[in-house]
Amino acid sequence: MDFGEGLERSGWTDPNYFGCVIGMGTVISLFNIFDAKWYNKKIIEKIFYISVLLISVPVLILNASRGALLSVIIVFVILVLFSNAKLGYKIVIFILSIIGCIYLYNNDYFTLLEARILSDDGTGSGRTEIWSAKLDGYLDGNIFQIIFGNGFYGGGTIGGRLIGFHNDYLGFLVDYGIVGLCMLLYMLYYPIKLVPKN
């Protein structure tokens, strides 16, 4: 995708799924850094988790996946606010985060992300057209495809070209049918089911 002014977004995979994978690593790193057992971890582990955080945040920004970046920011804020860390540490963490953002902004890390936000035409970067084409292709399938889906590759190419869904629920429906969507919804419900009633 060309945004003009020498800005181009390219990759070997869907940038949103790539951002999701990088974001999961970032969140795991954050959980380990804010873990109560942080002080008991070996120095090599501490260096690893901090390195993952310091490398993955700029990568997320340069990837310009708004959803992945927003997800990591929300997890970070919740972890800092609700952790058992002392108030002084929390203030230092927020100040360091702001300084880090200012540094990244001043060194043009946010340029592609800004260009993506400014170029949005009201269709969510073309998401609604993708969803419409995928859903139309799915509904044109036979009863077996509607119940069990078209498979990962079949779902990816449905609608004419290999492209991601930008919507996991629709992706599961088209790829794995009604059965797959129900299984996804059950897996999302399962942890809630385990929570005690009180």
Side-chain angles (χ1 to χ4, degrees):
M1 295 163 51
D2 188 8
F3 292 94
E5 299 177 17
L7 295 174
E8 183 180 318
R9 188 178 192 215
S10 63
W12 65 92
T13 185
D14 184 324
N16 295 303
Y17 292 112
F18 176 68
C20 176
V21 172
I22 297 293
M24 286 189 289
T26 309
V27 168
I28 290 169
S29 176
L30 284 169
F31 271 103
N32 279 285
I33 290 170
F34 282 95
D35 187 14
K37 299 174 187 170
W38 173 252
Y39 296 106
N40 298 333
K41 292 187 187 300
K42 296 177 183 173
I43 189 72
I44 192 75
E45 284 183 82
K46 292 179 180 181
I47 291 170
F48 175 75
Y49 291 124
I50 291 171
S51 298
V52 167
L53 189 63
L54 293 176
I55 293 169
S56 63
V57 170
V59 169
L60 281 170
I61 294 168
L62 290 171
N63 183 48
S65 175
R66 297 164 293 188
L69 191 59
L70 182 63
S71 299
V72 169
I73 290 169
I74 289 170
V75 168
F76 173 74
V77 169
I78 290 171
L79 275 173
V80 171
L81 290 178
F82 295 103
S83 73
N84 292 328
K86 294 177 184 174
L87 181 61
Y89 287 131
K90 291 180 181 183
I91 292 170
V92 168
I93 289 169
F94 275 119
I95 290 171
L96 288 174
S97 300
I98 291 168
I99 291 170
C101 285
I102 291 169
Y103 171 80
L104 293 171
Y105 183 79
N106 288 334
N107 288 286
D108 295 327
Y109 279 78
F110 287 95
T111 307
L112 182 59
L113 185 61
E114 289 173 3
R116 283 202 65 217
I117 292 168
L118 294 174
S119 70
D120 195 350
D121 59 358
T123 63
S125 300
R127 281 173 170 77
T128 53
E129 287 99 3
I130 294 168
W131 297 342
S132 177
K134 296 285 189 182
L135 197 54
D136 288 343
Y138 167 75
L139 294 174
D140 287 340
N142 61 40
I143 190 72
F144 184 77
Q145 290 169 317
I146 290 174
I147 294 173
F148 297 105
N150 297 280
F152 180 74
Y153 183 77
T157 55
I158 206 167
R161 62 187 175 117
L162 182 59
I163 189 167
F165 288 87
H166 296 286
N167 181 320
D168 288 334
Y169 301 100
L170 181 62
F172 269 81
L173 177 65
V174 174
D175 287 354
Y176 310 113
I178 295 169
V179 171
L181 180 62
C182 289
M183 291 176 76
L184 171 68
L185 294 174
Y186 178 74
M187 291 305 295
L188 293 174
Y189 163 73
Y190 187 71
I192 297 169
K193 177 182 165 187
L194 295 179
V195 175
K197 297 286 187 254
N198 57 3

